Amino acid sequence: MSGTLEQQGGVDAARIRQPEPPPLVAAVARGVALVVVLPVRLAWELLVVTAGWLRRRVLGPLGRVLSDWVLRPLGWFLHRVLWVPLAWAALHLLWRPLMWAAVHLLWRPLVWVAVHLLWRPLVWVAVHLLWRPLVWLVRVLAWPALRWLGTAVAWTVRVLLGLPLLWLARHLLVRPARWLWRALAPAFAAVGRGLWWLVRLLVGALAYGWRLAGRLLNLLYRAVLRPVGRALRWAASLLVGATRWAWRHTVVPVGRSLGWAWRHTALSVGRALRAAWRATVTPAARWVRDSVLAPARRTTRDLLFALSPRR
């Protein structure tokens, strides 16, 4: 805070120490500003306004006229007359002949050389010098040795492992399983008979319940549902008959009366109004359209066409 006060005091002292310009110099400066700066500023503002007016009134329409009547037709002419023929000539006279020459003069000879001078000799060497000798060696030397070795290994395994495993399986699995089955067969049979008796009991109970439910439903239908249905049918027929009688004796006469009144009042009035409209409003509207609006529309269109700058 003290530093800020000291700085402000130094600034005020510097302002006090600076000498003020004499009145004559200030008057000369104001005169120069009035004589030189003000006309330059006015000239600049006038130039800006004039440039804006020229851009809006002269350069803008002139640019649109040049774009619509000079640049676009020139671009269309250059595209149709120069670019399209040059592109066609480059495609059909340069690119396609070069591609044809490259395919028929370079690619096909290269393919023929690669097939007949490289691929087929390599295939012949691989088949006759590598594959067939290797197949002969395998068929004559390796296959009989492998077959003899496989036979020896199979006999050894069968003699050393198969017979002991067969004896163990027979004495440790088959005979105990057979003895266990003989011991548990009566128990399985008793359980099966018990289950069969239980299933028959359940099926009989379900059948008896089904028959009992059918009898109860039949009794309910005869004692309750059929009388209620007959009563509802009688009430419905009575209600329908009453409704039909009321419709015939109330709604139908009222409707006929309303129809007679509509035909003899509203329709007659509507026909009279339509005839009056056709006799008065329609000819007047047709005359206004043909004699006033159509000539005014044509005159306005011709005037706008004459005043249009793009004509």
Side-chain angles (χ1 to χ4, degrees), residues 26-246:
V28 171
R30 291 191 183 94
V32 171
L34 184 62
V35 174
V36 178
V37 178
L38 184 61
V40 172
R41 182 63 180 273
L42 293 176
W44 176 256
E45 295 294 335
L46 181 61
L47 181 61
V48 170
V49 173
T50 306
W53 182 84
L54 289 175
R55 181 177 59 83
R56 289 192 302 270
R57 300 297 182 179
V58 178
L59 296 179
L62 183 61
R64 288 193 293 269
V65 170
L66 290 176
S67 176
D68 295 337
W69 297 98
V70 177
L71 296 179
R72 289 184 181 178
L74 182 60
W76 181 88
F77 177 79
L78 293 176
H79 177 74
R80 296 294 180 180
V81 176
L82 294 178
W83 174 252
V84 174
L86 288 176
W88 184 90
L91 178 63
H92 293 83
L93 300 180
L94 292 178
W95 177 252
R96 290 187 177 178
L98 288 175
M99 292 300 296
W100 183 88
V103 171
H104 290 81
L105 299 180
L106 295 177
W107 178 250
R108 290 186 178 180
L110 289 175
V111 171
W112 186 89
V113 169
V115 171
H116 291 83
L117 299 181
L118 294 176
W119 177 250
R120 290 185 178 179
L122 290 175
V123 170
W124 186 89
V125 169
V127 171
H128 291 83
L129 299 181
L130 294 177
W131 178 251
R132 289 185 179 180
L134 184 61
V135 170
W136 182 83
L137 289 174
V138 172
R139 185 183 299 173
V140 174
L141 299 177
W143 178 249
L146 291 175
R147 185 170 56 182
W148 180 83
L149 182 61
T151 304
V153 171
W155 184 83
T156 304
V157 170
R158 184 176 61 183
V159 171
L160 297 179
L161 297 177
L163 294 177
L165 289 176
L166 183 61
W167 184 85
L168 290 174
R170 181 181 297 175
H171 289 81
L172 296 179
L173 294 178
V174 176
R175 288 185 180 181
R178 187 182 300 172
W179 178 81
L180 185 63
W181 173 256
R182 289 178 181 177
L184 297 177
F188 288 156
V191 172
R193 286 192 296 270
L195 291 175
W196 176 248
W197 180 81
L198 182 61
V199 169
R200 290 183 61 183
L201 181 63
L202 291 175
V203 170
L206 290 175
Y208 179 76
W210 181 263
R211 290 194 295 270
L212 181 61
R215 291 177 182 178
L216 291 176
L217 290 175
N218 189 14
L219 180 62
L220 179 64
Y221 171 74
R222 290 181 179 180
V224 179
L225 296 178
R226 186 165 62 183
V228 171
R230 290 179 178 178
L232 290 176
R233 183 176 63 183
W234 178 79
S237 62
L238 182 62
L239 181 62
V240 170
T243 304
R244 186 180 299 172
W245 183 86

Side-chain angles (χ1 to χ4, degrees), residues 256-273:
R256 290 177 179 176
S257 300
L258 292 175
W260 182 86
W262 175 264
R263 287 192 300 271
H264 291 82
T265 58
L267 291 180
S268 300
V269 173
R271 290 172 182 174
L273 291 175

